[in-house]
Every structure is written in C-alpha cells, then in structure tokens.
Amino acid sequence: MELHIDNILKDLEKDNFQAYLLTQFTNVEYISGYKPTSFAFCVIKENPIIYASGMDMELANRDSTIEVKEYESYDLMISELKDDGVKKLAIEPSLPFSTYVRFRDDFEIDSKNYIDKQRMIKLPFEIEKITKATEIAQKSFLELDILNNGSTEKEVAFDLVRNMIENGASKESFDTIVTSGAESSLPHAIPQPKKLNQPILIDWGAIFEGYCSDNTRTMVYTEYQQEIWDIVAEAHDKAIKAIKPGLKCCDIDKVARDIISDYGFADKFIHSTGHSLGLDIHETPGFSMKDETVIEEGMVITVEPGIYLEGEFGVRLEDTIAISKRGRVIGNLPLSID
C-alpha cells in the first residue's frame, strides 16, 4: 500500500497537483486497508489522511495503514487542505458531483485516473487472493451436482451462495445468475422460481478477503445447443491463447469476436470479451473493441465470449486470466461439466 501511495505521489508531482481526493470505498481500501461502511474522504498527499465518519472510527483505526481523523465538516477539511498548501486538487472520476461542488470554489480541480492505473496491475498477494476466491467458487459450484438438480433457479442460486460462504467466502462477488431454457439468452438474467430447464447457464463468483472471482459455465443438452457451445468454447480458448503482454486489449476481443463472426453469429455476441477484476468485480482494462490499453504482466482479466439466441437459449463460458508471459487460467474447473 505504501508503494501505491508513492507511485501516486509521483503522478501528482509530475502533473503539479498537491493532493488526490478519493471517496470510492474500494479505492480507499486499496490505499489504506480500511473499507468504509458509511463514508470517508481519503486525501493522498505528502502526509496522507483519511477523514472517516464517527461510526467508522473504531474500524478505521484498526485497519488503516495511514492516519485517520474523524470527519467534522467540509469547511474544516478544506481549511486543513489549504493549510497544507493544496491549491491544485486531483479527484477520482467517480467522485459524486455533490462532493465536487463543495471543493470547486477553493481549489483548481481536475479528474485523474491515477488510482485506476495503479489497480490495473495486481501484486502477487492480490493474485493469491483472487485465486483463493476462484477456488472457493469453483468448489462450491461442483458441490451443487447441477446435472441432477431438481430445484428451482432461485433455490440453486441460494444454495451456491450458501456453499461459497460455508467454504470461506465473505459473500458473493455479484448477484449470482442461475438461468435456464429460453431465459439463458439474457446475459444478466435473474433467477426465477421455476424448475431448471435446458440449457443451464450459471455465472457466479466469491469474495475472499476483499478480492473477487468470476466464472460462467453453460450445460447444454441438444445437438444444436452443443454446436453453439463448441463455437463459444473455440472463441474462449483461442482468445486465452492469444493473450500476451504488448498486445492491445482490443486485439484479444477481436480474436474471440472474429471466430464467432466466422460462424455467422456476429450480432449474437452482444457484450465485450472480458473485464478486469480485483477489489471490484468490474475494473479496467477490459477485452473490448474500443479498449486500446496495452496488456501488461500482472493484469487479471476475464475471458467470457457468448452467443445469445433471443427466445431460444444462450451460451457463455468464462474464466479469469492472470497475465505473465502469457495468459494463465485461474482455477481448474473444466469448461464442460459432465
């Protein structure tokens, strides 16, 4: 965390800012180890400080690696920043407008992606936690015995979340998707109180010590469903094999998209090929048509091509990839569940 702060201080100096204001919970956690439950203002400067709410002070004092002070008022916080010589203030792009207006009359302000740039590259301990989250999620999925399950979609989703928590997750990393039959053509389908139909698509993840995992598997039953599954699997596998530092993220999206297009389903692949994850389930960069970020070692990005046939069914296959010299799949869950 000290390294993260040092790197941001270098960015601030280069751009002639004296401080960087963060309020997003996972950004505060990334910098300090303390994740707010109410609100907090994290100011990265020569002597970084967090202004925490009164109800969070015990938690903040316990977990934060940087100084914590109880928040009293905007006026006092602004006055203390001025006393520290802050004239130009960088803010994270996600800063709420209602917060921005409190500061705009006192400082020269600009939005900067310093924290996102830091979070793109995972340190070894972060990859270890993502790996553990993935192992928990995959073990929990296999415990469902999904192919012989006569429960409803909602019951299966509930059982999967319970399994993850029993296996060591703090909670699910996003709302678990269990969908089947025609509704599987909805990429973000909501589990329904109906018995599992065919095919079955499950998209799920766990959080372990703050870090997320993400997987998707689709179980198919008919010859046509298998044909679509095979196309998606080819796109999935070849995209992963293409990953290496120096390429652009959009290059990997193109590999998956071209394969699906070659089979005549270009308009049925309706989302990007993947997204980074870490403390948040969706981070940057991502494997998308428009993302020209250069791939670097230490990035962790999902690969999740899909084909969605409206009113019929959908197939998506997703794994999380840790990038070193090549792309390495995190976890050992097979694509095909027998």
Side-chain angles (χ1 to χ4, degrees):
M1 294 173 185
E2 189 174 330
L3 175 64
H4 301 323
I5 292 174
D6 288 343
N7 287 335
I8 291 171
L9 287 174
K10 291 175 184 176
D11 286 331
L12 289 171
E13 184 178 9
K14 181 180 67 178
D15 293 341
N16 194 30
F17 287 97
Q18 291 81 48
Y20 189 34
L21 177 64
L22 310 172
T23 60
Q24 185 181 318
F25 286 5
T26 48
N27 282 343
V28 176
E29 180 183 15
Y30 181 76
I31 288 298
S32 71
Y34 148 62
K35 186 172 185 177
T37 67
S38 176
F39 69 86
F41 302 94
C42 177
V43 183
I44 301 175
K45 53 189 178 63
E46 199 60 46
N47 298 301
I49 188 169
I50 294 174
Y51 295 89
S53 71
M55 64 185 294
D56 255 11
M57 284 302 293
E58 181 179 354
L59 177 67
N61 283 324
R62 186 192 73 188
D63 293 345
S64 178
T65 58
I66 65 178
E67 182 185 353
V68 176
K69 183 173 183 177
E70 185 172 350
Y71 169 82
E72 295 183 34
S73 69
Y74 277 108
D75 289 342
L76 181 58
M77 184 166 50
I78 289 169
S79 174
E80 291 180 353
L81 290 177
K82 287 181 173 179
D83 289 344
D84 277 348
V86 176
K87 296 179 179 178
K88 291 185 65 178
L89 178 66
I91 60 173
E92 61 186 355
S94 60
L95 191 82
F97 182 75
S98 59
T99 303
Y100 161 74
V101 298
R102 298 279 191 157
F103 291 89
R104 66 182 178 184
D105 292 335
D106 294 279
F107 305 99
E108 185 180 338
I109 293 178
D110 199 0
S111 169
K112 294 292 180 180
N113 284 308
Y114 300 141
I115 196 82
D116 291 340
K117 185 173 71 172
Q118 289 291 308
R119 288 177 62 175
M120 283 183 185
I121 309 300
K122 270 57 181 182
L123 297 176
F125 86 88
E126 295 180 284
I127 295 175
E128 287 175 9
K129 291 184 179 183
I130 294 169
T131 299
K132 180 62 176 177
T134 302
E135 291 170 350
I136 289 170
Q138 293 183 351
K139 179 177 186 289
S140 301
F141 171 80
L142 292 173
E143 290 172 351
L144 290 173
D145 187 20
I146 193 67
L147 298 180
N148 299 303
N149 201 308
S151 301
T152 67
E153 293 175 357
K154 291 186 73 171
E155 289 168 339
V156 172
F158 178 86
D159 289 343
L160 180 49
V161 174
R162 182 187 59 200
N163 288 354
M164 288 192 289
I165 291 171
E166 289 178 348
N167 285 324
S170 57
K171 59 180 180 178
E172 59 188 334
S173 51
F174 53 91
D175 290 341
T176 298
I177 297 171
V178 176
T179 184
S180 61
E183 285 79 15
S184 61
S185 69
L186 304 172
H188 289 161
I190 298 172
Q192 300 298 312
K194 66 180 180 68
K195 297 288 186 182
L196 291 176
N197 202 338
Q198 300 175 353
I200 302 167
L201 186 155
I202 300 182
D203 188 346
W204 78 106
I207 294 180
F208 176 75
E209 294 185 357
Y211 284 82
C212 300
S213 73
D214 197 356
N215 278 111
T216 306
R217 291 295 184 266
T218 307
M219 285 64 72
V220 296
Y221 295 84
T222 69
E223 184 176 347
Y224 185 46
Q225 290 171 5
Q226 185 66 54
E227 288 177 10
I228 299 300
W229 190 97
D230 288 342
I231 296 168
V232 174
E234 182 181 343
H236 168 279
D237 292 349
K238 289 184 176 177
I240 292 172
K241 287 179 181 177
I243 295 170
K244 64 178 180 180
L247 294 179
K248 294 180 179 179
C249 286
C250 54
D251 296 332
I252 307 305
D253 180 87
K254 187 175 188 303
V255 170
R257 203 165 297 280
D258 283 353
I259 290 167
I260 290 174
S261 297
D262 287 345
Y263 284 99
F265 294 100
D267 61 336
K268 305 303 181 184
F269 182 13
I270 54 178
H271 53 70
S272 63
T273 297
H275 57 89
S276 293
L277 54 72
L279 290 170
D280 287 311
I281 191 61
H282 289 106
E283 298 185 1
T284 56
F287 294 138
S288 72
M289 289 186 285
K290 296 181 179 180
D291 195 328
E292 297 193 353
T293 303
V294 175
I295 298 168
E296 296 182 50
E297 291 190 37
M299 290 180 173
V300 178
I301 311 178
T302 68
V303 168
E304 51 175 309
I307 293 175
Y308 306 92
L309 306 177
E310 184 177 350
E312 296 183 63
F313 64 91
V315 173
R316 180 166 68 254
L317 297 169
E318 176 184 22
D319 281 299
T320 301
I321 313 302
I323 300 166
S324 53
K325 299 298 182 185
R326 305 292 300 186
R328 173 182 62 83
V329 176
I330 296 177
N332 57 9
L333 185 68
L335 273 187
S336 180
I337 308 300
D338 299 322

